[in-house]
Amino acid sequence: MNPIEISCRHLERMTDDTGLLEHALGAVPRRKEGYTTDDNARALWACSAIHRLGFGGEKNDGTWLRLADIYLEFLLWAQKDDGTFHNNIAYDRRPEPETPSDDCYGRAFWAAAAAWAYLRDDTRRLAAEAILLRAAPRTAELKYPRGWAYSLAAYSLLLTEQRPPVQMDRAGFLKKLQAREQVNRLERLLLDTYSREATVDWHWFEPEVTYGNGVLPWALFAAYPASGSETTRRVARESLDFLAEKMTAPEGWIRPVGNRGWASRAHASQWDQQPLEVMKLALAAREAYRVERRSEDAELVRRCRAWFLGENDLGRPLADPAEGSCCDGLTPSGPNQNRGAESTLSYLLTECLYHEICAEGMTGPDLEREGEGGGNSETAKRAERTVTEERAVTEALG
């Protein structure tokens, strides 16, 4: 069986000895735009997951680990003495003026938890553990759902991950983090938010579907093994199904809610489509499959990956698998050819989620049969674009 190898070429190109640069012009990094903690947190998460699963390949595994070190160093540096994180950093390493962000805190806290759980050696886990312990007291100050969601997923991972801490015993570590109390509190905050907004025909946490949507059902699915709450699992399922419907074109391919106007009860914007939204839908579907083992969730992850490879409204690929890069978005005139950090990491994480599903024996429907005879010819054409790749993955997995 040939190992799966996810390319790190573009991520390596975008990274210097400080961290991951935020933007690119085409595939060329734009140094003047500097760095963000958001992107370096996503990168630490991606590198840790790919390293843990062995998807970096034997030849490149050391590169993935070296990159993880850089991003872990960045988070240690960007974390303030009070446990919060400064997000925007200029190329000369000066912090830029900004308003503190719950989202940034949540992403960094989740990334540190992922590194703590996924990296193999304690010398690196020690740094992630220090970040978590310093940041944990600030969780109580979060005010917005996405910050709650990332933090809930992080605490849930820490509660369910059985690896021992580096600096103390497991019980003392979880007590110092107040992990159980935080799971209960954050879970309740998200459920209360959902109960206030959801109606018979609107199974969502807010009056509009805006940005970073998949993290909300993802966090509740992630919390279910830690809390055992059937209400949590029900709301996670309702909200994921609702989001998947909002993000699916009538023809069957993924159509993320566009950032030109978002989606309300009366309207859904088609453009511009963001890779981040597709990755977060895949993230929620992967967690749902982990909890409920429904084949439709595995298929949703496959369709999210297919969006990057050309199964989308324009039939145009956004990702370059050989480089491990991704265009910044899909516009009415085609892909935005700039290949920045956020979009590239969205693609890499989606690849990781997809191959993790494949490794468990779920590779989606028979695409040849889907494209046979009758039906929508455009759907058949789009399906054919991925059938060769799907066959290769299935054969590689035996």
Side-chain angles (χ1 to χ4, degrees):
M1 184 173 71
N2 296 322
I4 294 162
E5 293 193 13
I6 299 175
S7 175
C8 59
R9 289 180 190 171
H10 188 60
L11 195 63
E12 194 172 14
R13 181 185 299 126
M14 291 285 292
T15 302
D16 61 20
D17 61 353
T18 297
L20 177 63
L21 291 156
E22 182 177 10
H23 292 300
L25 184 59
V28 178
R30 299 186 66 175
R31 296 179 179 178
K32 68 165 58 176
E33 304 295 335
Y35 317 85
T36 69
T37 296
D38 282 342
D39 290 330
N40 281 270
R42 294 184 186 107
L44 176 60
W45 168 21
C47 290
S48 300
I50 290 169
H51 174 69
R52 173 180 70 109
L53 295 166
F55 293 160
E58 184 177 344
K59 182 177 69 175
N60 289 324
D61 190 59
T63 301
W64 286 105
L65 196 55
R66 179 180 63 80
L67 291 171
D69 286 346
I70 293 172
Y71 309 137
L72 187 54
E73 292 164 14
F74 190 98
L75 261 61
L76 276 170
W77 172 55
Q79 189 173 31
K80 302 176 185 178
D81 291 341
D82 66 359
T84 60
F85 299 85
H86 195 92
N87 192 20
N88 295 288
I89 311 289
Y91 184 66
D92 63 4
R93 298 185 177 181
R94 286 184 299 107
E96 297 176 341
E98 66 179 25
T99 301
S101 163
D102 278 15
D103 289 15
C104 177
Y105 171 91
R107 290 186 190 100
F109 194 72
W110 162 253
W116 183 88
Y118 300 161
L119 293 177
R120 296 169 190 162
D121 69 278
D122 284 351
T123 59
R124 292 176 172 89
R125 295 180 66 234
L126 179 64
E129 197 167 292
I131 292 170
L132 291 167
L133 290 167
R134 178 178 286 182
R138 303 277 75 80
T139 306
E141 300 168 7
L142 298 176
K143 300 177 181 178
Y144 301 105
R146 284 157 188 78
W148 300 337
Y150 276 111
S151 301
L152 175 59
Y155 282 111
S156 299
L157 177 61
L158 296 169
L159 276 172
T160 55
E161 174 60 50
Q162 295 303 308
R163 297 181 70 186
V166 181
Q167 303 179 73
M168 62 189 76
D169 64 275
R170 176 175 166 77
F173 178 60
L174 295 176
K175 182 177 181 181
K176 193 163 186 177
L177 291 172
Q178 294 190 309
R180 175 62 63 187
E181 294 85 350
Q182 290 293 359
V183 164
N184 293 338
R185 188 181 72 86
L186 294 165
E187 185 180 57
R188 177 48 52 195
L189 285 169
L190 283 175
L191 293 176
D192 287 349
T193 299
Y194 182 83
S195 66
R196 286 194 298 270
E197 293 294 340
T199 61
V200 173
D201 60 349
W202 187 261
H203 298 294
W204 197 241
F205 304 82
E206 298 164 317
E208 288 188 311
V209 177
T210 56
Y211 76 98
N213 301 294
V215 299
L216 302 175
W218 164 64
L220 291 177
F221 273 120
Y224 175 71
S227 73
S229 167
E230 287 300 322
T231 300
T232 293
R233 187 161 72 96
R234 175 184 60 80
V235 171
R237 171 51 59 189
E238 288 178 358
S239 57
L240 174 57
D241 289 347
F242 175 81
L243 182 62
E245 180 182 0
K246 289 292 181 184
M247 289 181 59
T248 299
E251 298 86 350
W253 54 78
I254 295 298
R255 176 183 289 166
V257 172
N259 68 2
R260 290 191 183 183
W262 309 125
S264 65
R265 287 172 170 83
H267 166 77
S269 175
Q270 184 174 354
W271 311 105
D272 292 339
Q273 298 178 19
Q274 300 297 303
L276 186 72
E277 297 306 321
V278 181
M279 180 274 283
K280 289 183 176 178
L281 179 62
L283 181 66
R286 171 65 184 104
E287 201 66 35
Y289 180 71
R290 199 188 309 274
V291 170
E292 297 185 339
R293 292 300 194 206
R294 297 190 185 187
S295 60
E296 55 265 39
D297 292 324
E299 165 59 8
L300 182 55
V301 175
R302 185 207 66 81
R303 288 193 292 122
C304 287
R305 176 181 183 253
W307 179 87
F308 287 93
L309 301 176
E311 197 173 316
N312 53 52
D313 280 333
L314 298 183
R316 301 275 299 278
L318 284 84
D320 179 349
E323 289 284 300
S325 68
C326 182
C327 296
D328 278 351
L330 191 64
T331 75
S333 58
N336 177 340
Q337 291 298 329
N338 296 332
R339 294 170 184 265
E342 179 183 286
S343 57
T344 289
L345 289 163
S346 295
Y347 166 64
L348 293 174
L349 282 163
T350 303
E351 278 288 317
C352 188
L353 295 164
Y354 168 76
H355 286 304
E356 193 177 5
I357 289 269
C358 286
E360 296 174 18
M362 296 299 302
T363 56
D366 185 337
L367 295 179
E368 285 186 296
R369 184 158 45 83
E370 181 181 316
E372 279 178 2
N376 183 286
S377 61
E378 187 61 27
T379 300
K381 290 177 184 177
R382 294 170 192 270
E384 288 171 3
R385 278 193 287 269
T386 57
V387 68
T388 301
E389 190 168 8
E390 294 287 339
R391 278 177 177 162
V393 170
T394 303
E395 290 171 2
L397 294 170

